[in-house]
Amino acid sequence: MQVRLPRTTCRTFLKRAADIIVPRGIENRVAIDVVVQHIRRTLSEKSKKHQNELEKLGKQVEDEPLSPNVLLLKQTRQIVGMNTIIQNPMTDGVDFIFYFDRLATILIERAMDNLHFRPAKVQTPQGNTYQGLHMDGDISAVVILRAGSCLETGLKRVIPDCQTGRLLIQTNYHTGEPELHYLKLPTDMASHASVLLLDPQMSSGGAALMAVRVLVDHGVAEAKIVFVTYFAGKVGVNRLLKVFPEAKVVVCKIVEDFEDRWIERRYLGC
């Protein structure tokens, strides 16, 4: 059955539900061009404002010391030896992946040190009581594609049943602004005890800022977020923790700012 609504009812509904009404629809090229130009101008202004704020933030933090929430791996002989192999361009692909996976495992284990545990008692095979700890709550991880997948082997070695989400953030080469292209997160992530963000390199910190903002917008408490990375520039880390001071960053080594992203190409072979 077809229902005909009065014209006044249709107009009232459109005024309440629509932001823009274009008379004659798709045939009205002039009106559509005006709307398109307005959207482009608004996006351009927003992009310039974001770039200026990011640049201003970088100048504010470039001389500041690292936050106590930056957790650097202790540079033992083993760690330095593996870094030597990984950073040697003559290392073949098989060895690179093997040693990077070892370091990724150590990074995830270091991130686990910041999680909450509760007291627990267990009976040993000898009948003794051991005063130990149980992890308090669930853990999930979010991989920043595509580079973050390089850390997944280490993640699965430490937390085999870890719930994993995905973010695809890419830099717009025209504006230099990070853009979110894909999002898939665990449904109950906000209730988890901790959420690990995985990305093997942090340069300017733009993508890291967006990734943390996405988690916060989805209900994850800032203090529960642990950003796990292999290399990071000092300015990028300071930018991130200036905006999100309660988050934590686990990093193997602080390197020169704005270093080219090369780890994913070596690990993935393309």
Side-chain angles (χ1 to χ4, degrees):
M1 182 178 66
Q2 187 176 9
V3 179
R4 293 181 178 273
L5 296 175
R7 182 175 297 181
T8 54
T9 303
C10 291
R11 288 178 177 175
T12 302
F13 172 77
L14 287 174
K15 288 180 180 179
R16 291 178 179 176
D19 294 317
I20 299 173
I21 300 175
V22 179
R24 303 196 312 277
I26 196 171
E27 296 178 359
N28 194 339
R29 299 288 184 179
V30 175
I32 292 174
D33 287 342
V34 170
V35 173
V36 169
Q37 290 173 15
H38 175 73
I39 293 172
R40 286 177 175 172
R41 184 169 59 253
T42 302
L43 291 175
S44 177
E45 292 172 355
K46 181 180 177 183
S47 177
K48 289 178 181 178
K49 181 180 178 181
H50 179 269
Q51 291 176 26
N52 292 336
E53 289 176 349
L54 197 61
E55 184 178 353
K56 181 180 178 181
L57 182 61
K59 291 179 179 178
Q60 290 175 352
V61 302
E62 61 182 355
D63 295 325
E64 291 185 5
L66 290 174
S67 164
N69 282 359
V70 178
L71 309 174
L72 278 164
L73 289 187
K74 186 178 180 180
Q75 297 300 300
T76 63
R77 291 185 177 185
Q78 177 185 212
I79 297 296
V80 173
M82 287 190 287
N83 276 325
T84 303
I85 295 171
I86 289 171
Q87 296 187 64
N88 185 352
M90 301 305 294
T91 300
D92 63 47
V94 174
D95 286 342
F96 180 91
I97 292 173
F98 175 80
Y99 286 103
F100 190 84
D101 286 343
R102 279 189 62 189
L103 264 177
T105 304
I106 295 172
L107 284 167
I108 300 298
E109 289 175 343
R110 182 69 180 90
M112 295 284 287
D113 289 340
N114 300 282
L115 306 183
H116 298 288
F117 291 82
R118 64 179 185 274
K121 297 179 181 180
V122 295
Q123 292 293 321
T124 69
Q126 292 77 26
N128 299 320
T129 300
Y130 178 74
Q131 302 287 345
L133 297 171
H134 274 160
M135 193 178 302
D136 191 12
D138 296 324
I139 301 173
S140 56
V142 176
V143 177
I144 301 178
L145 299 173
R146 69 175 180 150
S149 58
C150 302
L151 296 169
E152 281 196 277
T153 299
L155 174 69
K156 294 303 182 182
R157 287 176 178 175
V158 180
I159 319 172
D161 58 347
C162 183
Q163 296 184 53
T164 307
R166 295 282 189 274
L167 288 176
L168 177 57
I169 298 174
Q170 293 183 330
T171 300
N172 186 313
Y173 292 104
H174 297 290
T175 64
E177 189 176 11
E179 297 177 347
L180 178 64
H181 291 272
Y182 178 76
L183 170 69
K184 185 175 178 61
L185 302 174
T187 53
D188 56 346
M189 182 180 61
S191 64
H192 291 177
S194 183
V195 179
L196 308 181
L197 261 176
L198 308 183
D199 191 357
Q201 281 186 265
M202 184 195 301
S203 182
S204 67
L209 282 165
M210 174 172 281
V212 174
R213 170 54 62 191
V214 169
L215 297 190
V216 171
D217 288 346
H218 281 77
V220 180
E222 185 181 318
K224 293 182 178 181
I225 299 172
V226 183
F227 195 99
V228 182
T229 186
Y230 174 60
F231 275 171
K234 181 181 176 182
V235 170
V237 171
N238 282 347
R239 277 174 173 169
L240 177 63
L241 295 181
K242 186 76 171 180
V243 179
F244 301 103
E246 295 183 24
K248 294 181 177 63
V249 177
V250 175
V251 57
C252 179
K253 188 174 179 62
I254 298 295
V255 296
E256 292 184 8
D257 296 310
F258 310 108
E259 182 171 313
D260 181 44
R261 296 181 65 93
W262 57 273
I263 292 175
E264 61 195 87
R265 293 197 297 270
R266 288 281 279 138
Y267 190 94
L268 300 174
C270 58

